[in-house]
Amino acid sequence: MFIANLKYKKALEAHLEYLDKYFEKGKFICTGKKSFPELGGVILFNSNNLEEAKKILYEDPFYIEEIADYEIIEFQPVKFSQNFSIENLFY
């Protein structure tokens, strides 16, 4: 599992279409804007390996147009709440 930590440089509608594409493919689990300390976003997604994660992110118009800086964080989930669902992500 991977987290992509983005820092926005400007907005782009094509980025939203990119997100939709990978939600439809079942790769993205959730996405959202960061509030603090700086503007940007986070993408939580499933990928088979780091190479596939990079390939997916390199298709993002934010990456192509150099609109966001990226940091890829790989982690292995070992424990999670049984309540982890989209319904419980919002408060």
Side-chain angles (χ1 to χ4, degrees):
M1 189 169 289
F2 294 84
I3 296 174
N5 187 20
L6 289 67
K7 182 179 176 186
Y8 301 145
K9 297 178 182 176
K10 64 180 179 178
L12 186 65
E13 182 66 28
H15 174 71
L16 300 177
E17 294 169 3
Y18 159 82
L19 295 176
D20 289 342
K21 172 184 173 180
Y22 281 100
F23 271 114
E24 289 173 13
K25 289 185 174 205
K27 288 295 183 181
F28 289 173
I29 298 166
C30 66
T31 63
K33 295 178 182 179
K34 295 188 299 184
S35 322
F36 184 80
E38 39 190 83
L39 295 176
V42 173
I43 302 171
L44 177 63
F45 65 106
N46 279 319
S47 181
N48 296 322
N49 53 55
L50 181 59
E51 291 74 28
E52 181 187 35
K54 287 179 179 180
K55 182 180 181 283
I56 290 169
L57 291 176
Y58 293 166
E59 292 180 28
D60 188 348
F62 276 10
Y63 179 84
I64 294 167
E65 300 293 328
E66 298 181 357
I67 293 170
D69 295 322
Y70 290 75
E71 174 187 16
I72 300 174
I73 302 167
E74 182 176 6
F75 72 101
Q76 302 298 319
V78 295
K79 192 170 186 172
F80 57 90
S81 169
Q82 292 181 354
N83 295 325
F84 184 75
S85 69
I86 194 66
E87 292 83 18
N88 294 321
L89 291 175
F90 302 100
Y91 48 91

